[in-house]
């Protein structure tokens, strides 16, 4: 019999909280069971296994990130949309480091995380509409934005910018200015 109050959603939310506290890599069924004061077996009626728990946590994180990005993008286009989207991304990574790590999980397109991942990708493409990039340039630009944002927040969170006198915020703003310039002057694709 399932323990009263435990649901897949409640376990997923607790796993996301735990990820922010101890790191996504430390979220296990055992750690979550300890949090609820139950045996591991009590959780298996709600999640199939550790991978299922991790995918559910990734889906939650991707949905939260997409919600923040959508709110930030409302009514914006061009550089304003780019900056709002980038800032929402960076703020989420900073305020929810474990969830952000969960959002980077490689997922199968047939999992619960597939829809939030698609929504996040669509929002990235919405930012790029203001730049009118044809394919394959748009796909290349989506990859560039994700790589730039992820690389920046990963280095920043790891202390990679702490040895400089220029603030990370100032460099972030400069990076976004440079991305805007690049997106407005995107080169012709190589043959």
């Amino acid at each position: 019999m399932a323990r009263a109050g435990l649901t897949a959603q409640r376990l997923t939310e607790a796993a996301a909280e735990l990820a922010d506290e101890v790191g996504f890599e430390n979220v296990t069924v055992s750690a979550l069971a300890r949090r609820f004061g139950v045996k591991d077996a009590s959780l298996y009626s709600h999640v199939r296994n550790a991978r299922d728990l991790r995918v559910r946590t990734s889906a939650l994180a991707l949905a939260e990130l997409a919600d923040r990005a959508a709110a930030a993008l409302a009514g914006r286009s061009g550089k304003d949309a780019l900056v709002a989207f980038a800032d929402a991304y960076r703020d989420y990574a900073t305020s929810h480091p474990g969830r952000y790590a969960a959002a980077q999980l490689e997922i199968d397109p047939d999992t619960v995380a597939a829809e939030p991942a698609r929504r996040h990708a669509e929002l990235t493409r919405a930012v790029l509409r203001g730049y009118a990039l044809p394919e394959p340039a748009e796909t290349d630009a989506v990859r560039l934005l994700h790589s730039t944002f992820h690389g920046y927040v990963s280095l920043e969170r790891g202390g990679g910018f702490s040895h400089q006198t220029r603030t990370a915020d100032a460099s972030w703003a400069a990076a976004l200015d440079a991305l805007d310039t690049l997106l407005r002057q995107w080169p012709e694709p190589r043959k």
Side-chain angles (χ1 to χ4, degrees):
M1 180 171 143
R3 184 173 173 99
L6 291 182
T7 64
Q9 183 62 32
R10 186 163 178 225
L11 293 173
T12 302
E13 290 167 359
E17 291 169 9
L18 187 61
D20 284 340
E21 293 167 14
V22 301
F24 183 59
E25 67 280 359
N26 295 314
V27 174
T28 63
V29 173
S30 294
L32 198 56
R34 282 192 301 277
R35 188 177 194 102
F36 283 99
V38 299
K39 295 188 184 298
D40 295 11
S42 300
L43 304 187
Y44 288 116
S45 60
H46 306 288
V47 295
R48 287 189 301 273
N49 51 38
R51 174 70 181 167
D52 182 41
L53 179 62
R54 293 173 71 75
V55 168
R56 288 173 182 276
T57 305
S58 179
L60 179 139
L62 286 163
E64 288 177 344
L65 185 54
D67 288 346
R68 284 191 182 197
L73 287 174
R76 292 184 166 91
S77 65
K79 184 178 180 184
D80 288 340
L82 173 67
V83 170
F85 182 82
D87 286 347
Y89 188 103
R90 183 179 178 215
D91 290 345
Y92 187 80
T94 301
S95 61
H96 295 291
R99 293 173 201 223
Y100 175 75
Q104 307 311 309
L105 183 69
E106 183 177 345
I107 57 168
D108 183 311
D110 297 326
T111 66
V112 68
E115 182 53 37
R118 275 191 289 278
R119 184 169 170 238
H120 183 62
E122 288 167 6
L123 288 166
T124 308
R125 289 183 185 277
V127 168
L128 294 172
R129 281 191 205 110
Y131 296 98
L133 298 174
E135 280 298 344
E138 185 177 275
T139 295
D140 295 341
V142 167
R143 292 173 178 166
L144 174 68
L145 292 182
H146 182 75
S147 298
T148 302
F149 300 161
H150 177 68
Y152 197 95
V153 300
S154 296
L155 288 168
E156 182 178 28
R157 287 195 58 249
F161 304 140
S162 60
H163 60 284
Q164 298 292 323
T165 57
R166 183 165 168 81
T167 67
D169 289 343
S171 293
W172 177 253
L176 296 179
D177 287 344
L179 283 172
D180 174 63
T181 299
L182 172 63
L183 291 168
R184 284 187 283 111
Q185 300 172 9
W186 195 266
E188 290 294 319
R190 291 182 179 195
K191 304 271 184 212

